Amino acid sequence: MSDNTFGKLFRVTTWGESHGPAIGCVIDGCPPGLKLDPAMLANDIDRRKTGKSRHTSQRKEADQVQVLSGVFEGVTTGTPISLLIENTDARSRDYSEIARQFRPGHADYTYWHKYGIRDYRGGGRSSARETTMRVAAGAIAKQYLAEKYGVEIRGYLQQIGPHVLAPKSIETANDNPFFCPDPSRVAELESFMDQLRKSGDSVGAAVVAEATSVPVGLGEPVYGKLDGDLAAAMMSINAVKGVEVGAGFDSVVQHGTEHRDEMTPSGFQSNHAGGVLGGISTGQTVRVRVAFKPTSSLRIPCESIDVDGKPIEVVTKGRHDPCVGIRATPIVEAMLALVLMDQVLRHRAQNLDVPELPGRIPAGLE
Amino acid sequence: MSDNTFGKLFRVTTWGESHGPAIGCVIDGCPPGLKLDPAMLANDIDRRKTGKSRHTSQRKEADQVQVLSGVFEGVTTGTPISLLIENTDARSRDYSEIARQFRPGHADYTYWHKYGIRDYRGGGRSSARETTMRVAAGAIAKQYLAEKYGVEIRGYLQQIGPHVLAPKSIETANDNPFFCPDPSRVAELESFMDQLRKSGDSVGAAVVAEATSVPVGLGEPVYGKLDGDLAAAMMSINAVKGVEVGAGFDSVVQHGTEHRDEMTPSGFQSNHAGGVLGGISTGQTVRVRVAFKPTSSLRIPCESIDVDGKPIEVVTKGRHDPCVGIRATPIVEAMLALVLMDQVLRHRAQNLDVPELPGRIPAGLE
Amino acid sequence: MSDNTFGKLFRVTTWGESHGPAIGCVIDGCPPGLKLDPAMLANDIDRRKTGKSRHTSQRKEADQVQVLSGVFEGVTTGTPISLLIENTDARSRDYSEIARQFRPGHADYTYWHKYGIRDYRGGGRSSARETTMRVAAGAIAKQYLAEKYGVEIRGYLQQIGPHVLAPKSIETANDNPFFCPDPSRVAELESFMDQLRKSGDSVGAAVVAEATSVPVGLGEPVYGKLDGDLAAAMMSINAVKGVEVGAGFDSVVQHGTEHRDEMTPSGFQSNHAGGVLGGISTGQTVRVRVAFKPTSSLRIPCESIDVDGKPIEVVTKGRHDPCVGIRATPIVEAMLALVLMDQVLRHRAQNLDVPELPGRIPAGLE
Amino acid sequence: MSDNTFGKLFRVTTWGESHGPAIGCVIDGCPPGLKLDPAMLANDIDRRKTGKSRHTSQRKEADQVQVLSGVFEGVTTGTPISLLIENTDARSRDYSEIARQFRPGHADYTYWHKYGIRDYRGGGRSSARETTMRVAAGAIAKQYLAEKYGVEIRGYLQQIGPHVLAPKSIETANDNPFFCPDPSRVAELESFMDQLRKSGDSVGAAVVAEATSVPVGLGEPVYGKLDGDLAAAMMSINAVKGVEVGAGFDSVVQHGTEHRDEMTPSGFQSNHAGGVLGGISTGQTVRVRVAFKPTSSLRIPCESIDVDGKPIEVVTKGRHDPCVGIRATPIVEAMLALVLMDQVLRHRAQNLDVPELPGRIPAGLE
């Protein structure tokens, strides 16, 4: 089979290649009656764009979203929403010489042997350009979640190479090209990136996203757990190699007395769980951390093979990000939004009759 | 909705509560003609059992698997395979007093508010007892993968609390109660666990599983990627808080020149990818690492609330594991097997016509 | 793939062979909080039983349903409900000689060439015994639909061979072995069936099922339409060859002025639509008619082939129904209930926010 | 949920409203390496077009298909194929006055109460214009099935009102505007339709489609049976009220000795089964018959209600087909192709290892 659809009840099917005429998605299952805010959609698309600073790829796409169906007089109708963005700055000539080459760390070799054919222009379907549509669909999910439940989703760059960034001021993360949540560290990152770019090398990064005001009860045990869905969603993003919820790998060295989040009538006493217990949201902040590998497209040569298995040297020329994690924050946020949106619909399908029971406690300490 | 089914084409639906009459699963989609080896099935079930050493819960279940359908004269027929295990050592009296209590770190609070009702006996559906059926289904997947593709799946305890265990001798991992891959460290672990048990506390752990001889080409971009499925599968296991593929979170500090696995005609020069590029298997060893949180069921008291939101003190009495990671190795292996099995069927559905192209390289350096 | 699961949000996975140790199903997605009525469950199971009159197969099964999970203190918990019925009157010796034979009109030949193996005992998986579990699951759906929405589901034998039966008194359909809705015709049917049985031949039948008080709005355009789901559900029943909704094939000769059901504030003026417009329920009675072919298991010899393709003569001995349509009414009802139940959950997942608009009209004339 | 996706492994997601800027679909799961024939695609699209004779709606669309992704240098790559057709002849002014009206026999009332909003222009999403994309996707499926298995799919108008049309010469069905399979009857149909159009009324029709050279073994018991999928596929087409496979409703009056298709080494002796036994293809011609209701859009006035439930008189003005069945043949063929295509992929996923067993017999008598 093939699987270009995310979600079960709020389903996003993306299509398109990096250097094809357009990319797009179809969102099926959006509740009717949502007044779409085009500015919000455009804003999130803009946040993940390339070419806005010297620290990302210099490809410059207008990224104008066309809404082709599912919206009538500005309001969703419950029928499929088709979104389309034309590719306007694809320079296929940059890639022509790699038609017969496999770039290490890329999907070239695996697509080739899986499908027997590949659109090599700009990575084809495996390009991160696909994530534009995730951001678009995620923006709609964010809007619904905010309106109906007051859910707020935000993200930030938590680490880049050796630089660990504390969330001192998450609300400023959108004010710099790195989504750095600590304004005092931005200059340091600029300098780090400039040096990196000059070296021709790349580096990994970690991004955190969190959702506040998530209602208790989202998540479907046992194979549709909220954290299981989050893990799948995040790992499906290009270049992701690891996912943590709450304490994540720190749990390995914790004791139970430390990890278990005690409860009092005034709320939870900590949030090592990351807002999820038994696969179901607790009402605390849902928090996920995602590891991005360093870009493999480098102008520093490396050993590789061609389509015949013969040894070659590969040097990547095109326009690439020295750290894909830099632009990843809106994508991670979008996937978090899509997971929550889907789980909201799934939850109410089965559990609509469940009355709100007494004894709910607030989020408490985070 | 509810989601107790794992997989898309090799689908495992599990059912049953910890203290109900039985647990079971239905496997739908198993290829016909597979001669089931009952000993292999029993062996994996036995590996995850409680009560085999002083380091795990003392619940003792016979765990005899009944095969109720889908197998005729020892061979799978392609119809659903129904497996059932009776619960024989459930002691519900141990749990009666917690009917109105929520245990911190457990799914009690979330099930209650999601469903408005819960089977509190032994954790009900949220009990790790459910994983027995994953191991049973995984054993069938392992057998198919081994026979048809020579895939071998193995796992080990990679870390417990501060003790990091190098895979010096993975084949000995089954010879000790910890699945420790280094026989020289077993005594140290015994002593560590004895001390922990006496303290009444618990600790986290990390488990690694890997699959060798995985054919190149498994994995469905972009939302059914092999690593995406692995992440979902692992995060769906009770107590898991993090998943890494290949270099995982170490990628964050790596440079591209280090991370990208260079290729030569004699094979890959490293395996930071963990056997997956662009969501598709490369032919290298698929390697995943999973973080388990420390058990929350402790005899050390803690603050909590009851069903009315009133403050209480909780002390857990029943029979519990001081480190759930200890018995988790067969479960992680099983989920790896189930993911690969499902992806094998998915791959050949779409790509059967693709000829084996020249230029495939061996796994190379790991 | 294989597909033994019915439904998307109220999912019923059945398993088991006619002559295996047991049959069963797992119901995933049932709303929590439903107080199950065991008598209602037993009653429906009993209605489809064989061996209750001389007009059906003489196989006598106790058909005692065991509830193994998902129900706590008589109430559904939202976790999977596992139901199991032991096979107690399977006489496999009756079938041993057909191990190498293909019975015309049966699934023997197709299973053999699809799977390369078949459990030939009593039809194995292709036996109508599987429908017992549909009835069991359907009984739970009926109970939910009745409690929450007042939906009532009922069915009757509408035709058997040349005998067309008008629904003069549907409530008496359960009082005779044929589900005949006209008591004045029962003697005639008895005589018809006695004669048929003596002749050794079999005959086809048509069954009607209808649901009243269905809320307007159920059905998911365009590939999950209510009538599309009904068609799939009914055609999946053994021996079914045709499905009609509302006017069905009579529509072919109707004019638009006749067929279109005019609307007035006091209700629809007719119900040629069968309660569905554009794939969505109108609020009128949902009505479906289903054609059953005559049983192919006859003691009258016929030409066939064996597993090597050699010509043979086949005479069926076992215990069979001379008209499978006779016992089909509870099965058709069950499938109608399962479709509605699933659509109820699907509808509220997406459309919960839609307010009840003014201008709804009553069902009106039927 | 919402459901605008057809198929499980060959998945077609359609989107678009009758009077929106465009309609389109995304095909996910198409095998790679298929050389698409644009002429074949255009030909099928052209066959279902309106405006080609005086007997259908006079809306004239160019219906130029744009291929936006999934095809590289004319060959499918295995990634999602995005197809788009612009709407160029939508005249929304025709429909403005029915914004507050519900047309009997249409989906107006049901969409309104399901979604709380509707795009009333030209029927919005419930318009038969959606079926254009089914035909486009079906053309790709047809091409694959023909190339790989030699499957041929063809259809014809079998009945219109009282006129029953024998398949005397199916290959001529494309030569007349009715898909009439008997050239000697075309003049009669022209006259019938002219008279009908003048009367302002409409009429129903029945369409037959069949597939030859279907390999034995397609179909997934028990809820993904080949005939079950066909039933769902056909009933999902606008205006369809009934589906038959093989003998269909004629089975009701047949005896088993007549219906069961006897087998000899030279083939089946008849085909009452319609090429399906136990839900699995037999290797005979798969034959399905579909009932279309008469169009409800008439210039003859009728009683109805408005959005407030007030009584009104409705007269439909726009451009409509007096018999939707006339243009339905390519749509029924397309759905048959999509079902077979999906089942081909599903079958090989599970049963690839099954060797071709001896003893297969030819299709025989039809």
Side-chain angles (χ1 to χ4, degrees):
Chain A
M1 69 186 299
S2 176
D3 197 349
N4 292 278
T5 299
F6 185 80
K8 294 189 172 177
L9 299 195
F10 189 85
R11 288 195 305 285
V12 182
T13 301
T14 67
W15 57 265
E17 275 79 40
S18 178
H19 287 206
I23 56 172
C25 73
V26 183
I27 303 167
D28 198 10
C30 186
L34 178 69
K35 193 166 179 175
L36 277 194
D37 178 355
M40 192 174 164
L41 191 62
N43 180 52
D44 261 3
I45 297 277
D46 192 63
R47 289 171 71 217
R48 81 160 281 294
K49 256 192 204 170
T50 50
K52 294 194 303 175
S53 81
R54 67 185 183 275
H55 307 296
T56 62
S57 161
Q58 292 305 301
R59 178 169 172 174
K60 282 180 180 152
E61 288 287 353
D63 281 353
Q64 291 270 11
V65 185
Q66 299 174 43
V67 181
L68 297 176
S69 68
V71 178
F72 186 55
E73 297 173 347
V75 177
T76 61
T77 61
T79 63
I81 302 170
S82 174
L83 304 180
L84 184 145
I85 293 177
E86 289 179 21
N87 289 328
T88 57
D89 190 30
R91 301 185 192 163
S92 292
R93 65 177 187 281
D94 290 343
Y95 297 92
S96 56
E97 75 182 37
I98 62 157
R100 288 179 44 82
Q101 299 186 347
F102 297 137
R103 295 167 298 167
H106 276 275
D108 301 344
Y109 178 79
T110 52
Y111 266 69
W112 181 249
H113 287 293
K114 181 178 188 72
Y115 296 111
I117 181 177
R118 71 187 170 106
D119 179 348
Y120 48 78
R121 301 166 306 166
R125 180 69 182 151
S126 71
S127 164
R129 182 136 182 79
E130 185 267 345
T131 59
T132 315
M133 301 319 301
R134 305 183 185 216
V135 171
I140 295 176
K142 279 181 181 178
Q143 202 176 328
Y144 185 86
L145 292 167
E147 275 191 20
K148 298 288 166 183
Y149 300 93
V151 171
E152 195 191 340
I153 289 172
R154 56 193 191 177
Y156 56 89
L157 185 71
Q158 186 267 338
Q159 186 171 352
I160 178 166
H163 302 270
V164 178
L165 305 166
K168 294 223 171 136
S169 165
I170 298 182
E171 59 282 6
T172 67
N174 286 321
D175 302 341
N176 64 76
F178 309 102
F179 298 95
C180 170
D182 179 355
S184 72
R185 306 286 297 280
V186 172
E188 172 191 340
L189 298 186
E190 301 240 335
S191 150
F192 174 74
M193 286 304 296
D194 285 341
Q195 200 168 352
L196 181 72
R197 203 170 55 252
K198 277 171 207 154
S199 77
D201 213 335
S202 63
V203 79
V207 168
V208 165
E210 52 189 39
T212 56
S213 302
V214 175
V216 62
L218 302 186
E220 304 292 355
V222 296
Y223 298 108
K225 286 175 173 169
L226 179 56
D227 40 1
D229 277 15
L230 283 172
M234 299 307 166
M235 199 65 96
S236 79
I237 301 172
N238 309 47
V240 169
K241 301 303 290 181
V243 184
E244 295 180 317
V245 174
F249 280 91
D250 287 347
S251 306
V252 174
V253 294
Q254 289 178 331
H255 283 104
T257 43
E258 176 187 4
H259 183 93
R260 61 179 176 181
D261 304 309
E262 301 194 30
M263 303 158 82
T264 73
S266 59
F268 290 86
Q269 298 305 295
S270 52
N271 188 8
H272 295 103
V276 187
L277 283 174
I280 303 170
S281 63
T282 61
Q284 292 190 280
T285 296
V286 173
R287 190 173 288 119
V288 64
R289 183 170 170 258
V290 183
F292 287 83
K293 71 176 186 182
T295 326
S296 303
S297 305
L298 306 176
R299 56 184 164 82
I300 302 172
C302 68
E303 282 188 295
S304 192
I305 55 168
D306 67 12
V307 294
D308 299 319
K310 299 281 165 50
I312 55 168
E313 188 188 79
V314 166
V315 176
T316 306
K317 283 169 188 164
R319 300 161 294 175
H320 297 284
D321 293 271
C323 174
V324 287
I326 286 183
R327 290 191 295 123
T329 293
I331 305 166
V332 173
E333 286 174 24
M335 295 314 292
L336 174 52
L338 291 176
V339 166
L340 290 172
M341 182 71 203
D342 195 43
Q343 290 281 5
V344 158
L345 302 187
R346 287 153 70 176
H347 175 67
R348 69 197 199 185
Q350 184 183 20
N351 297 327
L352 182 61
D353 313 320
V354 177
E356 181 159 330
L357 297 176
R360 293 197 183 189
I361 57 172
L365 304 176
E366 295 283 341
Chain B
M1 70 186 298
S2 175
D3 197 350
N4 292 277
T5 298
F6 184 82
K8 294 190 172 176
L9 299 195
F10 189 85
R11 290 196 303 286
V12 181
T13 302
T14 67
W15 56 267
E17 275 80 39
S18 177
H19 288 205
I23 56 172
C25 73
V26 183
I27 303 166
D28 199 10
C30 185
L34 179 68
K35 192 166 180 177
L36 277 195
D37 179 354
M40 192 174 162
L41 192 62
N43 180 54
D44 261 3
I45 297 278
D46 192 63
R47 289 172 70 218
R48 83 160 279 293
K49 258 192 202 170
T50 50
K52 293 195 303 176
S53 80
R54 66 185 182 275
H55 307 296
T56 62
S57 161
Q58 293 305 300
R59 178 169 172 176
K60 283 181 180 151
E61 288 287 352
D63 281 354
Q64 291 270 11
V65 185
Q66 299 175 42
V67 182
L68 297 177
S69 68
V71 178
F72 185 55
E73 299 175 344
V75 177
T76 61
T77 61
T79 64
I81 301 171
S82 174
L83 303 180
L84 183 146
I85 293 176
E86 289 179 22
N87 288 328
T88 56
D89 189 30
R91 302 185 192 162
S92 292
R93 65 178 185 279
D94 291 343
Y95 296 92
S96 55
E97 77 182 35
I98 62 159
R100 288 180 43 82
Q101 300 186 345
F102 297 136
R103 295 166 298 167
H106 276 274
D108 302 344
Y109 178 80
T110 53
Y111 266 69
W112 181 248
H113 288 292
K114 181 178 188 71
Y115 295 112
I117 181 177
R118 71 186 170 110
D119 179 349
Y120 47 79
R121 301 166 306 164
R125 180 69 182 151
S126 71
S127 163
R129 182 137 182 79
E130 186 267 346
T131 59
T132 314
M133 300 320 301
R134 304 182 185 217
V135 171
I140 295 175
K142 278 181 180 178
Q143 202 176 328
Y144 184 86
L145 293 167
E147 275 190 20
K148 298 289 166 183
Y149 299 93
V151 171
E152 195 191 340
I153 289 173
R154 56 193 193 180
Y156 57 88
L157 185 72
Q158 186 268 336
Q159 186 171 353
I160 178 165
H163 302 271
V164 178
L165 305 167
K168 295 223 170 136
S169 166
I170 299 182
E171 59 281 5
T172 67
N174 286 319
D175 301 341
N176 64 75
F178 308 102
F179 297 96
C180 170
D182 179 353
S184 71
R185 306 286 296 279
V186 172
E188 172 192 340
L189 298 185
E190 300 239 336
S191 149
F192 173 73
M193 287 302 298
D194 285 342
Q195 201 169 352
L196 181 72
R197 202 170 56 252
K198 276 171 207 153
S199 77
D201 213 333
S202 63
V203 79
V207 169
V208 165
E210 52 189 39
T212 56
S213 302
V214 175
V216 62
L218 302 186
E220 304 293 355
V222 295
Y223 298 109
K225 285 175 174 171
L226 179 55
D227 40 0
D229 277 15
L230 283 173
M234 298 308 165
M235 199 66 97
S236 78
I237 301 172
N238 310 47
V240 169
K241 300 304 291 181
V243 184
E244 296 180 316
V245 174
F249 279 91
D250 286 348
S251 307
V252 174
V253 294
Q254 290 179 330
H255 283 104
T257 42
E258 175 187 7
H259 183 93
R260 64 179 174 180
D261 304 309
E262 301 195 30
M263 302 158 83
T264 73
S266 59
F268 290 87
Q269 298 304 296
S270 52
N271 188 8
H272 296 103
V276 188
L277 283 174
I280 302 170
S281 63
T282 61
Q284 292 189 281
T285 296
V286 173
R287 189 173 290 118
V288 65
R289 182 170 171 258
V290 183
F292 287 83
K293 71 176 186 182
T295 326
S296 303
S297 305
L298 307 175
R299 56 184 163 81
I300 302 172
C302 67
E303 282 189 296
S304 191
I305 56 167
D306 66 12
V307 295
D308 298 321
K310 299 280 164 52
I312 55 169
E313 187 188 80
V314 166
V315 176
T316 306
K317 283 171 186 162
R319 299 161 294 175
H320 296 285
D321 292 272
C323 174
V324 287
I326 287 184
R327 290 191 297 123
T329 294
I331 305 166
V332 174
E333 286 174 26
M335 296 314 291
L336 174 52
L338 291 176
V339 167
L340 289 173
M341 183 73 204
D342 194 43
Q343 290 281 5
V344 158
L345 302 186
R346 287 153 69 175
H347 174 67
R348 67 197 200 186
Q350 185 183 21
N351 296 324
L352 182 62
D353 313 320
V354 177
E356 181 159 329
L357 297 176
R360 294 198 183 186
I361 56 172
L365 304 175
E366 294 282 343
Chain C
M1 69 186 298
S2 175
D3 197 350
N4 292 277
T5 299
F6 185 80
K8 293 188 173 177
L9 299 195
F10 188 86
R11 289 196 304 287
V12 182
T13 301
T14 67
W15 56 266
E17 276 78 41
S18 178
H19 288 207
I23 56 173
C25 73
V26 182
I27 303 166
D28 198 11
C30 185
L34 178 68
K35 192 167 180 175
L36 278 194
D37 178 354
M40 192 175 164
L41 190 64
N43 180 52
D44 261 3
I45 297 278
D46 192 63
R47 288 171 71 219
R48 82 159 280 293
K49 256 192 204 170
T50 50
K52 294 194 303 176
S53 81
R54 66 185 183 276
H55 307 296
T56 62
S57 161
Q58 292 307 298
R59 178 170 172 174
K60 282 180 181 153
E61 288 288 352
D63 281 353
Q64 291 271 10
V65 185
Q66 300 175 42
V67 181
L68 297 176
S69 69
V71 178
F72 186 56
E73 299 174 346
V75 177
T76 61
T77 61
T79 63
I81 301 171
S82 174
L83 303 180
L84 183 146
I85 293 177
E86 289 179 21
N87 288 328
T88 56
D89 190 31
R91 301 184 192 165
S92 292
R93 65 178 185 280
D94 291 344
Y95 296 91
S96 55
E97 76 182 37
I98 62 157
R100 289 179 43 82
Q101 300 186 347
F102 297 137
R103 295 167 298 166
H106 275 274
D108 301 344
Y109 179 79
T110 52
Y111 266 69
W112 181 249
H113 287 293
K114 181 178 187 71
Y115 295 111
I117 182 177
R118 72 186 170 106
D119 179 348
Y120 47 78
R121 301 166 306 164
R125 180 69 182 151
S126 71
S127 164
R129 183 137 181 79
E130 186 268 345
T131 59
T132 314
M133 300 320 301
R134 305 183 184 216
V135 171
I140 295 175
K142 279 180 180 178
Q143 202 177 327
Y144 185 86
L145 292 167
E147 274 190 21
K148 298 288 166 183
Y149 299 94
V151 171
E152 195 190 341
I153 289 173
R154 57 194 191 177
Y156 57 88
L157 185 71
Q158 185 268 337
Q159 186 171 353
I160 178 165
H163 302 271
V164 178
L165 306 166
K168 294 222 171 138
S169 166
I170 299 182
E171 60 282 6
T172 67
N174 286 320
D175 302 340
N176 63 75
F178 308 103
F179 297 96
C180 171
D182 179 353
S184 72
R185 305 286 297 280
V186 172
E188 173 192 339
L189 297 186
E190 300 240 336
S191 151
F192 174 73
M193 287 304 297
D194 285 341
Q195 201 169 352
L196 181 72
R197 202 170 55 253
K198 277 171 205 152
S199 77
D201 213 335
S202 63
V203 79
V207 168
V208 165
E210 51 189 40
T212 56
S213 301
V214 175
V216 62
L218 302 186
E220 302 294 354
V222 295
Y223 298 109
K225 286 175 173 170
L226 179 56
D227 40 1
D229 277 16
L230 284 172
M234 298 307 166
M235 199 64 97
S236 79
I237 301 173
N238 309 49
V240 169
K241 300 304 291 181
V243 184
E244 296 180 316
V245 174
F249 280 91
D250 286 348
S251 305
V252 174
V253 293
Q254 289 179 332
H255 282 103
T257 43
E258 176 188 4
H259 183 94
R260 61 179 176 183
D261 303 309
E262 300 194 30
M263 302 158 82
T264 73
S266 59
F268 291 87
Q269 298 304 294
S270 52
N271 188 8
H272 295 103
V276 188
L277 282 174
I280 302 170
S281 63
T282 60
Q284 293 190 280
T285 296
V286 173
R287 189 173 289 118
V288 65
R289 182 170 171 259
V290 183
F292 286 84
K293 71 177 186 181
T295 326
S296 302
S297 304
L298 306 176
R299 55 186 163 82
I300 301 172
C302 68
E303 282 189 297
S304 191
I305 55 167
D306 66 12
V307 294
D308 298 321
K310 299 282 165 49
I312 55 167
E313 188 188 80
V314 165
V315 177
T316 307
K317 283 170 187 161
R319 299 162 295 176
H320 296 284
D321 293 271
C323 175
V324 288
I326 287 183
R327 290 191 295 124
T329 294
I331 305 167
V332 174
E333 287 174 24
M335 295 314 293
L336 174 52
L338 291 176
V339 167
L340 290 172
M341 182 72 203
D342 194 43
Q343 289 281 5
V344 158
L345 302 188
R346 287 152 70 176
H347 174 68
R348 68 197 199 186
Q350 184 183 20
N351 296 326
L352 182 62
D353 313 321
V354 177
E356 182 159 330
L357 297 177
R360 294 198 183 188
I361 57 172
L365 304 175
E366 293 283 342
Chain D
M1 69 186 299
S2 176
D3 196 349
N4 292 277
T5 299
F6 184 81
K8 294 190 172 177
L9 298 195
F10 189 86
R11 289 196 303 286
V12 182
T13 301
T14 67
W15 57 266
E17 276 79 40
S18 178
H19 288 207
I23 57 172
C25 72
V26 183
I27 303 167
D28 198 10
C30 186
L34 178 69
K35 192 167 181 175
L36 276 195
D37 179 355
M40 191 174 164
L41 191 63
N43 180 53
D44 261 2
I45 297 278
D46 192 62
R47 289 171 70 218
R48 83 159 280 294
K49 258 192 203 169
T50 50
K52 294 194 304 174
S53 82
R54 66 185 183 274
H55 307 297
T56 62
S57 162
Q58 293 306 299
R59 179 168 172 175
K60 283 181 179 150
E61 288 287 352
D63 281 353
Q64 291 271 12
V65 185
Q66 299 174 43
V67 181
L68 297 176
S69 68
V71 178
F72 185 57
E73 299 174 345
V75 177
T76 61
T77 61
T79 64
I81 301 170
S82 174
L83 303 179
L84 184 146
I85 293 176
E86 288 178 21
N87 289 328
T88 57
D89 190 30
R91 300 184 192 164
S92 294
R93 65 178 185 279
D94 290 342
Y95 297 92
S96 55
E97 76 181 35
I98 61 159
R100 289 180 43 83
Q101 300 186 345
F102 298 136
R103 297 166 297 166
H106 276 275
D108 301 344
Y109 179 79
T110 53
Y111 266 69
W112 180 249
H113 287 292
K114 181 179 188 71
Y115 296 111
I117 181 176
R118 71 187 170 107
D119 178 350
Y120 47 78
R121 303 166 304 164
R125 180 70 183 150
S126 71
S127 163
R129 182 136 182 78
E130 185 267 346
T131 59
T132 315
M133 300 319 301
R134 305 182 185 218
V135 170
I140 295 175
K142 278 180 181 179
Q143 202 176 327
Y144 185 86
L145 292 168
E147 274 190 21
K148 298 288 166 183
Y149 299 93
V151 171
E152 195 190 341
I153 289 172
R154 56 194 192 178
Y156 57 88
L157 185 70
Q158 185 268 337
Q159 186 171 351
I160 178 165
H163 303 270
V164 178
L165 305 167
K168 293 222 171 138
S169 166
I170 299 182
E171 59 282 6
T172 67
N174 286 320
D175 301 341
N176 64 76
F178 309 102
F179 297 96
C180 170
D182 178 354
S184 71
R185 306 285 298 280
V186 172
E188 173 192 340
L189 298 186
E190 300 240 336
S191 150
F192 174 74
M193 286 303 297
D194 285 342
Q195 202 168 350
L196 181 73
R197 202 170 55 252
K198 276 171 207 154
S199 77
D201 213 335
S202 63
V203 79
V207 169
V208 165
E210 52 190 39
T212 56
S213 302
V214 174
V216 62
L218 302 186
E220 303 294 354
V222 297
Y223 298 109
K225 286 175 173 171
L226 179 56
D227 40 1
D229 277 14
L230 284 172
M234 299 307 166
M235 199 65 96
S236 79
I237 301 172
N238 310 47
V240 169
K241 300 304 291 181
V243 184
E244 295 180 317
V245 174
F249 280 92
D250 287 347
S251 306
V252 175
V253 294
Q254 290 179 330
H255 282 104
T257 43
E258 176 187 4
H259 183 93
R260 63 179 174 181
D261 303 309
E262 301 194 29
M263 303 158 83
T264 73
S266 59
F268 291 86
Q269 297 305 295
S270 53
N271 188 7
H272 295 104
V276 188
L277 283 174
I280 302 169
S281 63
T282 61
Q284 293 189 282
T285 296
V286 173
R287 189 173 288 119
V288 64
R289 183 170 170 259
V290 182
F292 286 84
K293 72 176 185 181
T295 326
S296 303
S297 304
L298 306 175
R299 55 184 163 83
I300 301 171
C302 66
E303 283 188 296
S304 191
I305 56 168
D306 67 11
V307 294
D308 299 320
K310 299 280 165 50
I312 55 168
E313 188 187 78
V314 166
V315 176
T316 306
K317 282 170 187 162
R319 300 160 294 175
H320 296 284
D321 293 272
C323 174
V324 286
I326 287 183
R327 289 191 297 122
T329 293
I331 305 166
V332 174
E333 286 174 26
M335 295 314 291
L336 174 52
L338 291 176
V339 167
L340 289 172
M341 182 72 204
D342 195 43
Q343 289 281 5
V344 158
L345 302 187
R346 287 152 69 174
H347 174 67
R348 67 196 200 187
Q350 185 183 20
N351 296 326
L352 182 62
D353 313 320
V354 178
E356 180 160 331
L357 296 177
R360 293 198 183 187
I361 57 172
L365 304 175
E366 294 284 342

